[in-house]
Amino acid sequence: MIRIAVANQKGGVGKTTSAINVATALAATGLRVLLVDFDPQGNASTGLGVDPGARARSSYEVMAGSATMADAVRPTAVPKLDIIPATQDLSGIEVELVDAEDRTSRFAAAMDALPPRWDVCLIDCPPSLGLLTINALAAARYVLVPLQCEFFALEGLSQLLRTVERARANLNPGLAIIGVALTMYDRRNRLSEQVAQDVRAVIGELVFETAIPRNVRLSEAPSYGLPALVYDHRCPGSEAYIALARELLGRLPQLAVAA
């Protein structure tokens, strides 16, 4: 199973929207996909229609050691897409594990114990560079970085790149950035185009060709507990995520599509 952390320490960049819709697009190709909601806000869980009352076993229990990841998996309405939901309890895990020797590698150990039922796992990280994100980076093979087309994008990106380098040096030598996805792109806004040009000038081919546009349907979909690709698969945002998933697949090792 290929593990991909979807990470950016800045909030409001379309990280969870990207995780949900890329996961849905990958599942639509026939791959078996697991999405781990690793954000105490639980937005990925809500966006895939998992009611808060149906999260008795979640990523919190996994990190606390009271449940295995296999115990916490729930199916979604999207064929071939499963989720491990999150609850607000996850926000306290950093304090709970403050003295634990395995505090940075606990999630990786839980991932290693998963049965081989899935082809790809996406980990929706919280908007911070704290213990949860470090655990995700220690467990992942790749990092997918959603990056909003705004003025402070490059500053935040450089901070994340440094964190990935530290994780690679100290925790996970095989970790690599699979790509940077430009989000909230507005063709009518000169700033969006300038930021896109600046990011491509700095990190070159790491930036995906597909940019995710600002789109009302992407914002509406979570309120219905649906990915945008299900809510309105013909809207510009959905079409962009389908194209992004296609690019992502082209950068991953060859995967056999499940029957």
Side-chain angles (χ1 to χ4, degrees), residues 148-204:
Q148 184 180 2
C149 291
E150 63 157 29
F151 182 73
F152 294 112
L154 283 176
E155 181 180 348
L157 178 61
S158 63
Q159 185 180 0
L160 179 61
L161 293 178
R162 287 194 297 270
T163 300
V164 171
E165 284 298 325
R166 288 196 294 269
R168 182 186 293 123
N170 300 313
L171 297 170
N172 185 359
L175 184 66
I177 294 178
I178 191 69
V180 173
L182 299 175
T183 62
M184 303 182 187
Y185 181 79
D186 187 346
R187 295 182 185 280
R188 300 166 300 178
N189 188 332
R190 292 182 60 185
L191 178 60
S192 285
E193 182 58 32
Q194 185 61 56
V195 169
Q197 291 177 6
D198 289 347
V199 173
R200 294 185 193 280
V202 172
I203 56 176

Side-chain angles (χ1 to χ4, degrees), residues 72-214:
V73 172
R74 290 185 52 86
T76 72
V78 179
K80 295 185 180 292
L81 174 58
D82 297 323
I83 187 171
I84 294 179
T87 64
Q88 291 184 351
D89 292 339
L90 193 60
S91 61
I93 201 67
E94 189 159 351
V95 175
E96 293 181 36
L97 298 183
V98 67
D99 294 323
E101 292 185 2
D102 64 343
R103 65 193 306 267
T104 59
S105 60
R106 182 169 290 206
F107 184 61
M111 290 283 293
D112 290 342
L114 264 176
R117 285 166 41 193
W118 298 275
D119 301 302
V120 180
C121 175
L122 294 175
I123 308 161
D124 183 32
C125 298
S128 74
L129 296 177
L131 182 64
L132 290 171
T133 298
I134 295 300
N135 265 267
L137 296 179
R141 175 63 182 88
Y142 298 107
V143 185
L144 171 62
V145 184
L147 189 71
Q148 184 180 2
C149 291
E150 63 157 29
F151 182 73
F152 294 112
L154 283 176
E155 181 180 348
L157 178 61
S158 63
Q159 185 180 0
L160 179 61
L161 293 178
R162 287 194 297 270
T163 300
V164 171
E165 284 298 325
R166 288 196 294 269
R168 182 186 293 123
N170 300 313
L171 297 170
N172 185 359
L175 184 66
I177 294 178
I178 191 69
V180 173
L182 299 175
T183 62
M184 303 182 187
Y185 181 79
D186 187 346
R187 295 182 185 280
R188 300 166 300 178
N189 188 332
R190 292 182 60 185
L191 178 60
S192 285
E193 182 58 32
Q194 185 61 56
V195 169
Q197 291 177 6
D198 289 347
V199 173
R200 294 185 193 280
V202 172
I203 56 176
E205 293 183 356
L206 270 181
V207 184
F208 289 103
E209 287 296 322
T210 303
I212 308 301
R214 287 190 178 275

